[in-house]
């Protein structure tokens, strides 16, 4: 069970390349490029799909497993690590998603403002 939960959480790393691409584009001062915009849109979508959407199913699965008799045999330390590690991870993912949404919204407003000028 714990290996499944760990692999389920590891899927969130699919969003990491887009963060690295963003950093690279910013380093080369390509913030106004189309590549930056495409990366932002795809990165936002992937982040949402692999980090935000899985939150509810993960907690539901964890709750469901807690009623399986085999779960009672899992040592408390492993249960604690699984639960205590997931709470801040989900909190950070939601916070980061909020920041991504605000940055994307700000970028769209700036683009619209430039088009109107």
């Amino acid at each position: 069970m714990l290996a499944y939960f760990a692999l389920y959480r590891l899927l969130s790393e699919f969003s990491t390349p887009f963060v690295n691409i963003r950093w690279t584009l910013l380093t080369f001062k390509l913030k106004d490029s189309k590549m930056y915009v495409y990366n932002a849109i795809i990165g936002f979508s992937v982040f949402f799909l692999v980090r935000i959407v899985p939150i509810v199913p993960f907690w539901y699965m964890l709750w469901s497993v807690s009623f399986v008799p085999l779960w009672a045999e899992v040592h408390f330390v492993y249960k604690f690590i699984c639960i205590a590690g997931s709470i801040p991870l989900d909190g950070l993912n939601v916070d980061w998603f909020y920041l991504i949404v605000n940055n994307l919204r700000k970028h769209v407003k700036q683009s619209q403002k430039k088009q109107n000028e």
Side-chain angles (χ1 to χ4, degrees):
M1 291 180 273
L2 295 176
Y4 173 78
F5 289 141
L7 289 172
Y8 186 80
R9 287 302 199 168
L10 192 58
L11 289 175
S12 68
E13 292 305 317
F14 278 118
S15 64
T16 302
F18 299 100
V19 175
N20 293 336
I21 291 169
R22 179 182 184 272
W23 177 83
T24 302
L25 292 170
L26 287 173
T27 301
F28 289 113
K29 296 179 179 25
L30 296 172
K31 188 174 181 177
D32 295 325
S33 69
K34 287 186 180 185
M35 178 70 164
Y36 185 85
V37 174
Y38 296 146
N39 181 67
I41 293 168
I42 295 169
F44 166 79
S45 303
V46 171
F47 192 95
F48 178 73
L49 289 173
V50 301
R51 291 188 185 240
I52 301 303
V53 170
I55 290 173
V56 173
F58 171 80
W59 286 103
Y60 175 74
M61 287 184 294
L62 191 60
W63 177 77
S64 298
V65 151
S66 68
F67 297 106
V68 174
L70 189 59
W71 182 254
E73 296 178 27
V74 175
H75 195 278
F76 171 77
V77 171
Y78 299 123
K79 292 178 190 178
F80 179 79
I81 290 170
C82 183
I83 294 169
S86 296
I87 292 169
L89 179 65
D90 289 338
L92 284 171
N93 283 334
V94 169
D95 185 51
W96 291 333
F97 186 69
Y98 176 77
L99 293 173
I100 290 169
V101 168
N102 283 340
N103 284 336
L104 196 57
R105 190 178 299 150
K106 187 186 336 178
H107 191 74
V108 168
K109 284 182 183 179
Q110 287 175 352
S111 296
Q112 288 174 346
K113 189 176 181 181
K114 285 181 184 178
Q115 287 177 352
N116 291 336
E117 291 179 353

